[in-house]
């Protein structure tokens, strides 16, 4: 059964870089039918798509975050990673990893449990 | 891009049917059959319940159904049950290569 597990520091200082790793188990990140996505949810608020990456390294990003975001993939470790630069308190959120159905579906069929990242000095 | 528009809250009694709307633009919802719906219980990760407007993933109850008319997609839950009380989010593909979420709708089962 496919599982995604987010891993990262729970606390990041303002202006620094938030780094999150998503470890995929029970399936291959190299599968040709899927992309891999990052989504976040500020406390008490709605969901926001951050971006998605394919096993080739091709990535698409939310235009509102594009200047600060990089999502990369490491097929040898079956994981993908999110980096968000120059964070502020507004980046405090639960960050989720998810599998995105390929073939143009743009739906997210498996999610990790999420990890809370707080931006604070 | 702006978020898709959903009602903040809806409510219904057990056994009733409710519908949640999700309004976008002609370039997104109106032009592509790429609307999905997610159910999120408090403290839990979202769960995909409808994709590509009308399709249900394996294991999702047939009490959940989706539809679309013009720039508005809808999620209907029939035979409401207490366990359906949750937040519901829609998403839509918007070119080029962007996914947007709705603001979310809280469903209360009275």
């Amino acid at each position: 059964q496919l599982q995604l597990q987010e891993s990262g520091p729970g606390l990041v200082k303002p202006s620094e870089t938030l780094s999150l790793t998503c470890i995929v188990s029970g399936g291959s990140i190299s599968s040709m039918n899927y992309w891999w996505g990052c989504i976040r949810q500020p406390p008490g608020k709605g969901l926001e798509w951050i971006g998605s990456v394919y096993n080739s390294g091709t990535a698409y990003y939310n235009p509102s975050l594009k200047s600060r975001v990089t999502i990369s993939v490491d097929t040898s470790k079956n994981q993908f990673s999110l980096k968000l630069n120059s964070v502020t308190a507004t980046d405090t959120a639960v960050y989720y990893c998810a599998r995105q159905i390929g073939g143009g579906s743009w739906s997210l069929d498996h999610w990790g449990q999420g990890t809370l990242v707080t931006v604070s000095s | 891009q702006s978020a898709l528009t959903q009602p903040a809250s809806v409510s219904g009694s057990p056994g009733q049917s409710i519908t949640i709307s999700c309004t976008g633009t002609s370039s997104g919802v109106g032009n592509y059959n790429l609307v999905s719906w997610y159910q999120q219980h408090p403290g839990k990760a979202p769960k995909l319940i409808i994709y590509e407007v009308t399709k249900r993933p394996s294991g999702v109850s047939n009490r959940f159904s989706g539809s679309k008319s013009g720039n508005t997609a809808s999620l209907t839950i029939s035979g409401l049950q207490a366990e359906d009380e949750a937040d519901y989010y829609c998403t839509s593909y918007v070119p080029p290569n962007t996914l947007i979420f709705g603001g979310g709708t809280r469903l209360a089962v009275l």
Side-chain angles (χ1 to χ4, degrees):
Chain A
Q1 181 176 349
L2 185 78
Q3 292 188 329
L4 297 98
Q5 180 66 55
E6 301 88 354
S7 175
L11 183 65
V12 181
K13 290 183 169 56
S15 80
E16 295 189 345
T17 296
L18 182 160
S19 296
L20 189 72
T21 296
C22 303
I23 300 169
V24 178
S25 60
S28 174
I29 203 169
S30 297
S31 170
M32 296 183 67
N33 297 326
Y34 300 102
W35 287 64
W36 305 90
C38 298
I39 303 94
R40 69 180 183 178
Q41 185 172 35
K45 297 188 178 180
L47 296 160
E48 179 181 38
W49 176 71
I50 300 171
S52 300
V53 67
Y54 192 61
N55 59 38
S56 64
T58 298
Y60 299 125
Y61 302 117
N62 185 323
S64 68
L65 297 170
K66 187 175 183 178
S67 64
R68 298 194 292 132
V69 174
T70 302
I71 302 176
S72 59
V73 63
D74 187 337
T75 55
S76 67
K77 294 182 178 179
N78 219 38
Q79 64 186 39
F80 59 108
S81 299
L82 165 71
K83 290 190 184 300
L84 180 65
N85 301 325
S86 305
V87 296
T88 68
T90 59
D91 295 310
T92 294
V94 174
Y95 285 76
Y96 292 101
C97 300
R99 186 178 78 171
Q100 177 180 319
I101 299 174
S105 179
W106 287 87
S107 55
L108 303 156
D109 68 340
H110 280 83
W111 293 65
Q113 64 185 19
T115 187
L116 174 63
V117 179
T118 301
V119 178
S120 174
S121 56
Chain B
Q1 292 90 342
S2 300
L4 302 171
T5 300
Q6 298 181 232
S9 64
V10 298
S11 63
S13 301
Q16 287 186 331
S17 294
I18 63 95
T19 296
I20 300 171
S21 62
C22 170
T23 301
T25 64
S26 58
S27 61
V29 174
N31 204 35
Y32 296 89
N33 290 325
L34 296 177
V35 174
S36 297
W37 290 90
Y38 300 85
Q39 176 191 63
Q40 185 180 35
H41 287 108
K44 300 295 187 182
K47 173 188 175 184
L48 178 67
I49 55 174
I50 295 288
Y51 67 103
E52 294 174 22
V53 179
T54 60
K55 298 178 181 179
R56 265 190 319 273
S58 175
V60 173
S61 171
N62 59 9
R63 297 186 300 105
F64 294 92
S65 62
S67 62
K68 190 185 83 168
S69 177
N71 295 340
T72 298
S74 298
L75 171 71
T76 298
I77 308 174
S78 59
L80 267 181
Q81 299 179 0
E83 66 204 49
D84 299 330
E85 187 161 288
D87 293 329
Y88 292 84
Y89 294 89
C90 62
T91 64
S92 175
Y93 169 73
V94 177
N97 301 314
T98 300
L99 184 68
I100 57 172
F101 277 87
T105 298
R106 178 149 296 178
L107 169 62
V109 180
L110 305 174

